[in-house]
Amino acid sequence: MEFKDETDFSKDFFERTIYNLKLYESHNKKDKIEFKHEVVQLINSLLGLVVFVKEDGVNFSSVELSDVKLENDIIWNYCDRNGGRFEEKNFKNFLRHIRNAIAHKRLTIKSYRQQNIRSVVFKDENKNNKFEVELSIKEIKDLIYKLSECIGKQ
């Protein structure tokens, strides 16, 4: 496996993730039987991206939380680690909670009559702190592409 730029593994990883996702989407449109695990592909892509984003300190100043999900649609009662104040509700903290939900297997799949998956509920909680958001399949895709835009600007 060769990389275009060995010094920037994360950027190459992002490009490959988006390439694989687009390739999967194009095959899925043609053959839904053979390429049927769209949500698994999306969660794998999302997990890889949020881990690399966290570790590389990607700048999200151009992204507003409302670009992904309306604040009213999120249960978010989380104190920050320093002083017990409620943490700022921003895109960076949103991603941290999404990453924690995936890493600690706090996902709930919602489907239509136990057939097609329509959304995923991400939960990150401990003691009195709680974060919970339900993202539709389209919102997960949009989030992945939003992350790819951020890394592309680095």
Side-chain angles (χ1 to χ4, degrees), residues 53-88:
V53 161
K54 180 182 185 292
E55 297 303 317
D56 281 358
V58 173
N59 184 343
F60 298 113
S61 60
S62 65
V63 182
E64 296 294 326
L65 181 58
S66 60
D67 293 342
V68 179
K69 192 74 173 176
L70 294 176
E71 192 176 316
N72 294 340
D73 294 335
I74 304 170
I75 297 171
W76 197 333
N77 301 315
Y78 235 90
C79 293
D80 70 12
R81 294 182 176 137
N82 299 328
R85 304 179 314 270
F86 280 113
E87 71 182 0
E88 186 178 348

Side-chain angles (χ1 to χ4, degrees), residues 105-116:
K105 297 187 332 183
R106 293 186 187 128
L107 305 173
T108 304
I109 303 299
K110 300 229 176 163
S111 63
Y112 298 110
R113 295 182 215 106
Q114 299 182 343
Q115 294 290 320
N116 295 328

Side-chain angles (χ1 to χ4, degrees), residues 11-25:
K11 188 170 184 175
D12 210 33
F13 179 85
F14 275 87
E15 289 172 1
R16 289 167 185 250
T17 298
I18 297 304
Y19 173 83
N20 286 346
L21 185 57
K22 286 180 179 177
L23 185 65
Y24 178 86
E25 287 176 340

Side-chain angles (χ1 to χ4, degrees), residues 25-103:
E25 287 176 340
S26 71
H27 286 302
N28 177 262
K29 286 178 184 176
K30 296 173 191 168
D31 185 355
K32 291 195 182 291
I33 293 172
E34 186 67 27
F35 293 91
K36 58 187 173 185
H37 301 294
E38 177 185 28
V39 176
V40 171
Q41 177 65 42
L42 289 171
I43 291 173
N44 284 334
S45 297
L46 183 59
L47 176 61
L49 295 175
V50 296
V51 167
F52 276 90
V53 161
K54 180 182 185 292
E55 297 303 317
D56 281 358
V58 173
N59 184 343
F60 298 113
S61 60
S62 65
V63 182
E64 296 294 326
L65 181 58
S66 60
D67 293 342
V68 179
K69 192 74 173 176
L70 294 176
E71 192 176 316
N72 294 340
D73 294 335
I74 304 170
I75 297 171
W76 197 333
N77 301 315
Y78 235 90
C79 293
D80 70 12
R81 294 182 176 137
N82 299 328
R85 304 179 314 270
F86 280 113
E87 71 182 0
E88 186 178 348
K89 295 179 180 178
N90 60 32
F91 187 65
K92 181 179 178 182
N93 286 334
F94 177 85
L95 283 181
R96 179 172 53 84
H97 291 300
I98 295 294
R99 180 221 156 276
N100 289 348
I102 297 170

